[in-house]
Amino acid sequence: MSYVSLPILNNFGVYMDIITGFPSTMMDDYQLNIIDILRYAAETYHSQKVISRISDNKTISYTYKELLERVSKLAHGLVELGVKQGERIGILEWNTHRFLELYFSVPCIGGVLVALNPRLHTNELAYIIKHSGIKRIFFNSDFTDLITSIDRYLDISEYILLDRQSGDIDIEPLLFYDDLLKEKSKYYNFPVLNEKSAYAACYTSGTTGRPKGIFYSHRSTMLHSLIWAIHLNLSIRDVHLQLTPMFHALGWGLWLSFMIVGAMQIFPGRWMVKNPAPIVDIILDKGVTISEGVPTIWRAILDELDKRKFSGEIHMKAVLGGSSPNLKLIRRLRSYGMEVIHTYGFTEGNPITHRSILIPSLNKKCLENGDYALYQGLPAFLVRQVLIDKKGNEIKHGENKVGELIVRGPFISKNYYNYEEDDKAFIVWQSQRWFRTGDACIINECGYLKVVDRYNDMIKSGGEWISTIELENYLVNHPYIMEACVIGIPHDKWGERPLALIVPEDRFRGKLSDEDIYSYLLRKFPKWQLPDKLIYLDSIPKTGTGKYLKRVLKEKYGKEYR
Amino acid sequence: MSYVSLPILNNFGVYMDIITGFPSTMMDDYQLNIIDILRYAAETYHSQKVISRISDNKTISYTYKELLERVSKLAHGLVELGVKQGERIGILEWNTHRFLELYFSVPCIGGVLVALNPRLHTNELAYIIKHSGIKRIFFNSDFTDLITSIDRYLDISEYILLDRQSGDIDIEPLLFYDDLLKEKSKYYNFPVLNEKSAYAACYTSGTTGRPKGIFYSHRSTMLHSLIWAIHLNLSIRDVHLQLTPMFHALGWGLWLSFMIVGAMQIFPGRWMVKNPAPIVDIILDKGVTISEGVPTIWRAILDELDKRKFSGEIHMKAVLGGSSPNLKLIRRLRSYGMEVIHTYGFTEGNPITHRSILIPSLNKKCLENGDYALYQGLPAFLVRQVLIDKKGNEIKHGENKVGELIVRGPFISKNYYNYEEDDKAFIVWQSQRWFRTGDACIINECGYLKVVDRYNDMIKSGGEWISTIELENYLVNHPYIMEACVIGIPHDKWGERPLALIVPEDRFRGKLSDEDIYSYLLRKFPKWQLPDKLIYLDSIPKTGTGKYLKRVLKEKYGKEYR
């Protein structure tokens, strides 16, 4: 049954829903606008602070009240510049207060902030800028070379330099961020936007095809922010460190949730995974209670703590996502007193869609090792999850069969922006439109999701499935192995067979033998799941966002080793 | 500036917002429906329990999964009975699982559940039943006499008895609740309703005029549930006891928030404030972590704990609302280890709009006694609050002037159902429609709200304001005084002067002197604020919901003592 929403006029001049005869203007004309998050934080938690580390030795800090004032000034600056409703504006920046300010000013005057990932190939970046229709770009001087190299392909009306007030930079026309705020009123009368208007956009660059644009709306971002404030149990006593890059899927969007509860927030600026010392300093000095990032980031933080022989406890929530943490990482985090929260999501999911928690009444037997943190876990409120097989039939929870995960909900995309090939990524299932995650998953009898592999990377050998990710995760747990990538190679008899590409740790290069690795793998895997061939490399080719280029590798090694 | 929402069709057959050119079907056609709260709890937290105390010696318990199954069976039963979309259905029941089931089945097939308050006068009840258009009533046999006494004024097609399967009850036609569920399928394909459709209705009976109906929508109730799950920091480890009657403003609505986080919930059925022993048993036996109620209920619980000489700590959140707790009550609760959360709201607010918490970065000097729990505190997310004077001018935070509180937000009513005199309760202020709370308040420089009095009860004596509530609260803190009500009496010289009605504790009846009371009041109040006259009574007339009938009292004593 679908819904009816035709309004009729009643005696009192109020629109009534024809189903219920209920005056529909009663409270529901309120439009969910992201500016209300900032306005609320500024008015209610006015004295709570935002800290921004703008260089190795400079940190600035202001209150939520001052943040709203700066955002208002910036809004005046943008309007003066000629920014129109619906205009797309690009940004290339680290996690600073400036990124935060633009995430409010641009969308809340009716523009759309398009977050650009500086790690992408220049071709991809140029494509995204053109495809989304960006005419103005805010950028950090660290990305000057990047801008210079693609400027000739673009049609940009203005560049705005974020972190400097002058400088001999050969880009034109060039404006300066601080000038936009100068001498502006600290009050701005933000418009009420239709809640379904676009708020910001991120592009996902898969391992295949062109980047695809996801436009988040004010409404979807608001619902995501509310629901994750609940599921992560955020509180005004939290101190949040924004580790995930803000150009990557809204930086996971939790900085908005933290403003709803009024928590203090720290934006760490530029830092490198190979030098996590400044991050560990912040965690210890500022009493950080929660942060989020991919496993690689948490490993770097742990290595730094190990190096410092840190002996205390760090009572913080470590939110992991992006890829699955293994048991070793989970235990290392816990050994420092951290609570591990394993989350799962994707750019199309606004972005977080799952998290793992323990249900008190649950029989723990349904969890591997009794440990919920090994699972992607339970869907977020209002997210519906289904596993389907290749024919589109549902695989029920607890069937212990691998299927592709499809999801839908009020903050999950139903299409890409101006993209013709949507049909591959979305599916109509039981008369509803669902997003195909492309992830091969199992949902156990208790409803816990486990991602096993990318659905297209799974290897079918002699009619049985082999998970490349399980092999990879176990391989990188070997103390001599730094990276491992497993791919399926066509095989005349078995259909497909696994092949492993291995990057040893520097000091063990040339010292690893096939025998070592096979005997290690046999501790966990049956013989028929072992790779037919092990190949040792110095590095494995990856995308701008660090994913293995499996399609390219399959093609290359498929020809060579078939 | 207002918003634009006309859609245009783009090349790919997707509706685009004309402001942003953004495909608006991307994720936002999802309708927020309350059935999704139950469906989510049933699928995700399937093993978590609901406990319902249906009589003094009988308790039943089932899981959220079973709740959805029963709600589905009931939905089949309702449809078979002929319930139509938009139909209003009445309920007279204690806090049991049956109330819970009806709060899902009725609205989620498209009906509207109208919660009837059995404490109201029969005239008022009959009015509400007719005004809302109720044709079917579910009732507990405890309310048989009530039904019998008003039946002749009504046009009811069916009565459904909730708690019994038979019985010589002289009401016709009579059906039985359990029969509706019998032999029904445990699956029901709930329709997707427009999120702005009515979910349920409550009537507020003020001290003046006819009862006024507030129809909550699915959307407003969903947003209220999400926002309060955040502000009260609810978690799956909570054990929630539903103390506030579910017929009173959706029972404050938190039982929906607790389902979003998957907490266990207990519905205590029938109990009386004068015998809180069963409630204290539940709190101690079941490890309750949070409950909510008016100060009177908490006082009864504390008295029972005192009586039992309970010496342990009870680590639970005591959520207080309905009227202001005084410092004595707050300290008594804390002395048992409870965390006090002072909330504020009204039926028109869906219903909770404020709560008091401590902002860590705050200078505590702006709080009286340094204690945030004495304040109604901070508005909920998306609730905007303003104080206005009689001329409609805004009183700024920290001005230390009393004004009337007006509020608006996505879960705050903008009108009453079919009610011509809306203009008294709502106000257009800065081109927006706001609800006038009728409460006289102060908002301090830190933004904390304090309710001082009802705006119309405030006494203006010689140009200065005297708060009747402050006098009353201080009077009832006197160990010999049980109840106190202060009203303004016309005075030729001063305009108005206070008069106090006092009910002494039973054992001190006749033993209280004016002198005792005046010397007690002088410890806190200046002489000019003291009541001109003290009157000792055995009881003070109240409304069905326990509010003093101040308008009636003012009339009576105004004539007598002018």
Side-chain angles (χ1 to χ4, degrees):
Chain A
M1 201 188 297
S2 71
Y3 61 87
V4 184
S5 63
L6 294 173
I8 50 169
L9 216 58
N10 81 344
N11 297 336
F12 307 109
V14 173
Y15 282 97
M16 311 279 285
D17 192 291
I18 59 162
I19 289 185
T20 56
F22 158 72
S24 66
T25 62
M26 195 170 257
M27 35 187 112
D28 295 316
D29 57 346
Y30 196 103
Q31 299 296 307
L32 301 171
N33 275 216
I34 292 297
I35 193 65
D36 283 339
I37 295 183
L38 173 55
R39 199 184 270 141
Y40 178 72
E43 286 178 3
T44 312
Y45 312 121
H46 35 81
S47 55
Q48 292 286 88
K49 290 220 159 144
V50 171
I51 296 176
S52 173
R53 179 175 166 274
I54 49 178
S55 70
D56 284 348
N57 41 34
K58 197 168 174 202
T59 289
I60 69 155
S61 135
Y62 53 56
T63 64
Y64 280 134
K65 184 162 176 272
E66 290 162 314
L67 172 59
L68 175 58
E69 291 171 2
R70 283 180 59 91
V71 164
S72 300
K73 288 178 181 182
L74 180 54
H76 283 292
L78 291 170
V79 168
E80 209 167 89
L81 208 62
V83 173
K84 296 270 175 300
Q85 288 211 335
E87 179 175 333
R88 277 75 157 169
I89 290 183
I91 178 166
L92 278 163
E93 167 66 317
W94 308 108
N95 284 6
T96 70
H97 66 290
R98 295 177 293 246
F99 211 138
L100 182 68
E101 289 163 3
L102 283 160
Y103 257 135
F104 286 106
S105 295
V106 171
C108 297
I109 63 168
V112 185
L113 192 70
V114 183
L116 300 172
N117 180 349
R119 293 181 198 148
L120 294 180
H121 191 277
T122 48
N123 289 347
E124 284 183 303
L125 264 182
Y127 170 82
I128 292 169
I129 291 167
K130 282 169 128 172
H131 183 265
S132 61
I134 289 171
K135 296 284 170 221
R136 291 183 174 90
I137 295 182
F138 286 78
F139 73 104
N140 186 297
S141 60
D142 287 342
F143 305 117
T144 305
D145 289 350
L146 188 58
I147 292 282
T148 315
S149 69
I150 55 173
D151 176 48
R152 78 192 105 146
Y153 305 111
L154 307 175
D155 176 25
I156 299 296
S157 63
E158 268 140 1
Y159 289 100
I160 302 105
L161 188 58
L162 286 163
D163 58 326
R164 285 207 243 148
Q165 282 282 59
S166 63
D168 41 11
I169 288 177
D170 190 20
I171 292 171
E172 283 198 320
L174 186 67
L175 302 173
F176 301 98
Y177 187 71
D178 285 353
D179 289 347
L180 290 190
L181 283 82
K182 215 174 268 171
E183 289 166 21
K184 299 294 188 305
S185 161
K186 59 187 183 184
Y187 301 103
Y188 187 89
N189 189 15
F190 287 95
V192 178
L193 302 167
N194 182 326
E195 64 185 27
K196 297 182 182 180
S197 300
Y199 162 69
C202 288
Y203 276 70
T204 161
S205 118
T207 52
T208 57
R210 286 174 298 137
K212 296 174 279 282
I214 294 105
F215 279 60
Y216 307 109
S217 69
H218 281 263
R219 175 181 156 113
S220 71
T221 304
M222 180 70 88
L223 290 172
H224 184 275
S225 305
L226 287 169
I227 287 169
W228 284 104
I230 295 172
H231 288 323
L232 296 178
N233 237 254
L234 309 187
S235 122
I236 197 169
R237 291 176 300 276
D238 274 321
V239 176
H240 171 235
L241 173 62
Q242 176 68 36
L243 277 181
T244 293
M246 290 173 84
F247 53 74
H248 185 210
L250 294 180
W252 299 5
L254 300 180
W255 49 276
L256 282 165
S257 305
F258 282 104
M259 288 179 72
I260 294 172
V261 300
M264 173 169 143
Q265 301 204 66
I266 303 168
F267 295 82
R270 184 184 188 179
W271 66 281
M272 297 293 155
V273 173
K274 61 187 170 196
N275 177 24
I279 294 302
V280 171
D281 288 344
I282 291 172
I283 289 174
L284 299 178
D285 296 350
K286 301 287 182 193
V288 170
T289 64
I290 178 164
S291 189
E292 69 285 297
V294 294
T296 311
I297 286 184
W298 290 105
R299 247 177 236 118
I301 290 170
L302 289 168
D303 289 347
E304 176 69 19
L305 287 167
D306 287 352
K307 207 176 93 188
R308 295 189 189 185
K309 298 193 168 49
F310 181 78
S311 62
E313 284 215 344
I314 301 173
H315 294 289
M316 71 182 282
K317 289 177 186 159
V319 179
L320 286 88
S323 65
S324 301
N326 57 32
L327 194 57
K328 187 169 146 191
L329 177 59
I330 292 168
R331 289 193 174 149
R332 282 183 74 194
L333 287 163
R334 286 180 182 154
S335 75
Y336 277 107
M338 301 187 200
E339 181 189 346
V340 176
I341 301 177
H342 182 179
T343 65
Y344 168 72
F346 27 83
T347 312
E348 293 83 350
N350 215 160
I352 316 179
T353 62
H354 286 68
R355 89 297 188 195
S356 205
I357 55 163
L358 188 65
I359 300 174
S361 56
L362 203 70
N363 182 344
K364 277 198 198 176
K365 274 185 199 153
C366 72
L367 299 175
E368 190 189 321
N369 288 317
D371 198 336
Y372 61 92
L374 286 168
Y375 292 78
Q376 278 69 24
L378 307 169
F381 181 55
L382 298 182
V383 171
R384 311 230 33 202
Q385 61 171 11
V386 168
L387 285 195
I388 53 169
D389 64 20
K390 296 260 179 199
K391 290 175 189 154
N393 296 320
E394 181 174 358
I395 297 170
K396 297 260 180 249
H397 297 188
E399 266 194 64
N400 206 27
K401 274 204 271 182
V402 175
E404 183 180 1
L405 178 71
I406 63 172
V407 290
R408 67 181 196 92
F411 49 83
I412 290 167
S413 293
K414 290 194 169 174
N415 46 273
Y416 294 117
Y417 176 66
N418 272 6
Y419 189 78
E420 302 85 347
E421 297 157 87
D422 266 5
D423 52 326
K424 288 183 189 160
F426 301 92
I427 185 173
V428 174
W429 190 81
Q430 290 193 349
S431 342
Q432 300 276 5
R433 196 168 163 91
W434 299 65
F435 171 62
R436 297 178 62 163
T437 63
D439 279 333
C441 301
I442 289 179
I443 299 178
N444 75 12
E445 71 266 32
C446 297
Y448 282 67
L449 178 80
K450 183 150 199 173
V451 176
V452 177
D453 209 337
R454 288 296 292 168
Y455 205 53
N456 291 328
D457 292 340
M458 291 280 288
I459 297 166
K460 198 161 198 177
S461 171
E464 297 283 344
W465 291 104
I466 300 174
S467 160
T468 64
I469 286 187
E470 275 182 29
L471 282 165
E472 287 166 5
N473 282 346
Y474 193 71
L475 281 168
V476 295
N477 268 348
H478 189 290
Y480 295 4
I481 295 176
M482 197 163 75
E483 288 182 356
C485 169
V486 176
I487 51 176
I489 298 297
H491 190 280
D492 294 334
K493 185 170 171 196
W494 302 112
E496 260 188 330
R497 290 294 303 154
L499 172 148
L501 307 169
I502 289 167
V503 181
E505 297 271 357
D506 281 350
R507 55 211 166 112
F508 298 111
R509 211 148 278 183
K511 290 177 191 159
L512 263 177
S513 72
D514 284 10
E515 225 169 33
D516 292 344
I517 292 176
Y518 280 126
S519 70
Y520 170 72
L521 285 174
L522 278 170
R523 287 194 221 158
K524 174 158 178 180
F525 298 94
K527 206 169 169 217
W528 65 269
Q529 290 198 357
L530 265 42
D532 279 7
K533 177 90 192 153
L534 306 173
I535 294 168
Y536 302 91
L537 300 171
D538 289 347
S539 72
I540 301 172
K542 296 186 198 69
T543 67
T545 50
K547 297 171 191 164
Y548 295 129
L549 282 165
K550 286 202 176 180
R551 203 175 54 95
V552 177
L553 293 167
K554 270 169 123 165
E555 222 165 273
K556 179 179 173 200
Y557 292 100
K559 280 187 199 134
E560 219 165 307
Y561 291 100
R562 184 181 179 123
Chain B
M1 201 186 298
S2 72
Y3 61 88
V4 185
S5 63
L6 295 173
I8 50 169
L9 214 59
N10 80 343
N11 297 338
F12 308 108
V14 173
Y15 282 97
M16 313 278 286
D17 192 291
I18 59 161
I19 289 184
T20 56
F22 158 71
S24 67
T25 61
M26 196 169 256
M27 33 187 114
D28 295 316
D29 57 347
Y30 196 103
Q31 298 297 307
L32 300 171
N33 274 217
I34 292 298
I35 192 64
D36 283 339
I37 294 183
L38 173 56
R39 200 185 269 142
Y40 178 72
E43 286 177 3
T44 311
Y45 312 121
H46 35 79
S47 55
Q48 291 287 87
K49 291 218 159 146
V50 171
I51 296 177
S52 172
R53 180 174 166 274
I54 49 178
S55 71
D56 283 348
N57 41 34
K58 196 168 173 203
T59 289
I60 68 154
S61 136
Y62 52 58
T63 63
Y64 281 133
K65 185 163 174 271
E66 289 163 316
L67 172 59
L68 175 57
E69 290 171 1
R70 283 180 60 90
V71 165
S72 301
K73 287 178 182 181
L74 179 55
H76 283 292
L78 292 169
V79 169
E80 211 166 86
L81 207 62
V83 173
K84 296 271 176 298
Q85 290 210 332
E87 179 174 334
R88 278 74 158 168
I89 290 183
I91 178 166
L92 278 163
E93 168 67 316
W94 308 108
N95 284 5
T96 69
H97 65 291
R98 295 176 292 246
F99 211 138
L100 183 68
E101 289 163 1
L102 283 159
Y103 259 134
F104 286 106
S105 295
V106 170
C108 296
I109 64 168
V112 185
L113 193 70
V114 183
L116 301 172
N117 181 349
R119 293 181 200 148
L120 294 181
H121 191 276
T122 50
N123 289 348
E124 283 183 304
L125 263 182
Y127 170 82
I128 292 169
I129 291 167
K130 280 169 130 171
H131 183 265
S132 61
I134 288 171
K135 297 283 171 223
R136 291 183 174 89
I137 295 181
F138 286 78
F139 72 105
N140 186 296
S141 60
D142 287 343
F143 306 116
T144 305
D145 289 349
L146 189 57
I147 292 283
T148 314
S149 69
I150 55 173
D151 177 48
R152 78 194 104 146
Y153 305 110
L154 307 176
D155 176 26
I156 299 295
S157 63
E158 270 141 359
Y159 289 100
I160 301 105
L161 188 58
L162 285 163
D163 58 326
R164 284 208 243 146
Q165 282 282 59
S166 62
D168 40 11
I169 289 178
D170 191 20
I171 292 172
E172 283 198 324
L174 186 66
L175 301 174
F176 301 98
Y177 186 71
D178 285 353
D179 289 347
L180 290 189
L181 284 80
K182 216 173 268 173
E183 288 165 22
K184 299 294 186 307
S185 161
K186 59 187 183 183
Y187 301 103
Y188 187 88
N189 189 16
F190 287 95
V192 178
L193 303 167
N194 183 327
E195 65 185 27
K196 297 181 182 181
S197 300
Y199 162 69
C202 288
Y203 275 70
T204 161
S205 117
T207 52
T208 57
R210 286 175 298 138
K212 295 172 280 282
I214 294 106
F215 278 60
Y216 306 110
S217 69
H218 282 263
R219 175 181 156 112
S220 71
T221 305
M222 180 70 88
L223 290 172
H224 184 274
S225 305
L226 286 169
I227 286 168
W228 284 103
I230 295 172
H231 288 323
L232 296 177
N233 238 255
L234 310 187
S235 122
I236 195 168
R237 292 176 298 277
D238 274 321
V239 177
H240 171 235
L241 173 62
Q242 176 68 37
L243 278 182
T244 294
M246 290 173 84
F247 54 74
H248 184 213
L250 294 182
W252 299 5
L254 299 181
W255 48 276
L256 282 165
S257 305
F258 282 103
M259 289 180 70
I260 295 173
V261 301
M264 174 168 144
Q265 301 205 66
I266 303 169
F267 296 82
R270 184 184 188 176
W271 66 282
M272 296 293 154
V273 172
K274 60 187 170 197
N275 177 23
I279 294 303
V280 171
D281 288 343
I282 291 172
I283 290 173
L284 299 178
D285 296 349
K286 302 287 182 192
V288 170
T289 63
I290 178 163
S291 189
E292 69 285 299
V294 294
T296 311
I297 286 185
W298 289 106
R299 247 177 235 118
I301 290 170
L302 289 168
D303 289 346
E304 176 69 19
L305 287 168
D306 287 352
K307 207 175 92 187
R308 295 189 190 185
K309 299 192 169 48
F310 180 78
S311 63
E313 285 216 342
I314 301 173
H315 293 290
M316 70 182 283
K317 288 178 188 159
V319 179
L320 286 88
S323 66
S324 301
N326 56 31
L327 195 56
K328 185 169 145 192
L329 177 60
I330 292 168
R331 288 191 175 150
R332 282 183 74 195
L333 288 163
R334 286 180 182 154
S335 76
Y336 278 108
M338 300 187 200
E339 181 190 347
V340 175
I341 302 177
H342 182 179
T343 65
Y344 168 71
F346 26 82
T347 312
E348 294 83 349
N350 214 163
I352 317 177
T353 61
H354 286 68
R355 89 296 189 196
S356 203
I357 55 163
L358 187 66
I359 300 173
S361 56
L362 203 70
N363 182 345
K364 278 198 200 176
K365 273 183 203 157
C366 71
L367 299 175
E368 190 188 323
N369 289 317
D371 199 335
Y372 61 92
L374 287 168
Y375 291 78
Q376 280 68 25
L378 307 169
F381 180 55
L382 299 182
V383 171
R384 311 232 30 203
Q385 61 171 11
V386 169
L387 285 194
I388 54 169
D389 64 19
K390 297 259 180 201
K391 289 175 188 154
N393 297 320
E394 181 174 357
I395 297 169
K396 297 261 181 244
H397 297 188
E399 266 194 64
N400 206 26
K401 274 205 272 183
V402 175
E404 183 180 3
L405 179 71
I406 61 171
V407 291
R408 67 180 195 91
F411 49 84
I412 290 168
S413 293
K414 289 194 169 175
N415 46 274
Y416 294 118
Y417 177 67
N418 274 3
Y419 190 78
E420 301 86 345
E421 296 158 89
D422 266 4
D423 51 326
K424 288 183 191 161
F426 300 92
I427 186 174
V428 174
W429 191 81
Q430 291 194 348
S431 345
Q432 301 276 6
R433 196 167 163 93
W434 299 65
F435 171 63
R436 297 178 62 164
T437 62
D439 279 333
C441 302
I442 290 180
I443 299 179
N444 75 10
E445 72 266 32
C446 297
Y448 281 69
L449 178 80
K450 183 148 198 173
V451 176
V452 178
D453 209 338
R454 288 295 293 168
Y455 205 54
N456 291 329
D457 293 339
M458 291 280 289
I459 296 166
K460 198 162 197 177
S461 172
E464 296 283 343
W465 291 105
I466 300 174
S467 161
T468 64
I469 285 188
E470 274 182 30
L471 283 165
E472 287 166 6
N473 283 347
Y474 193 71
L475 281 168
V476 296
N477 268 349
H478 190 290
Y480 294 5
I481 296 177
M482 197 163 74
E483 287 181 358
C485 169
V486 177
I487 50 177
I489 299 296
H491 190 281
D492 294 333
K493 183 170 173 197
W494 301 113
E496 260 187 332
R497 289 295 302 154
L499 174 147
L501 307 170
I502 289 168
V503 181
E505 297 272 357
D506 281 349
R507 55 208 165 114
F508 298 110
R509 209 147 280 182
K511 292 177 190 160
L512 264 176
S513 73
D514 284 10
E515 227 169 32
D516 292 344
I517 291 175
Y518 281 124
S519 71
Y520 171 71
L521 284 173
L522 278 170
R523 289 193 217 158
K524 174 158 178 180
F525 298 93
K527 205 169 169 215
W528 65 269
Q529 290 197 356
L530 265 41
D532 279 7
K533 177 91 190 155
L534 305 173
I535 294 170
Y536 302 90
L537 299 171
D538 288 347
S539 72
I540 302 172
K542 296 186 198 69
T543 67
T545 51
K547 296 173 192 165
Y548 295 128
L549 281 165
K550 286 201 176 179
R551 206 174 53 96
V552 177
L553 294 166
K554 271 169 122 166
E555 226 164 89
K556 177 177 176 201
Y557 291 100
K559 281 186 200 134
E560 218 163 310
Y561 290 100
R562 182 175 181 130

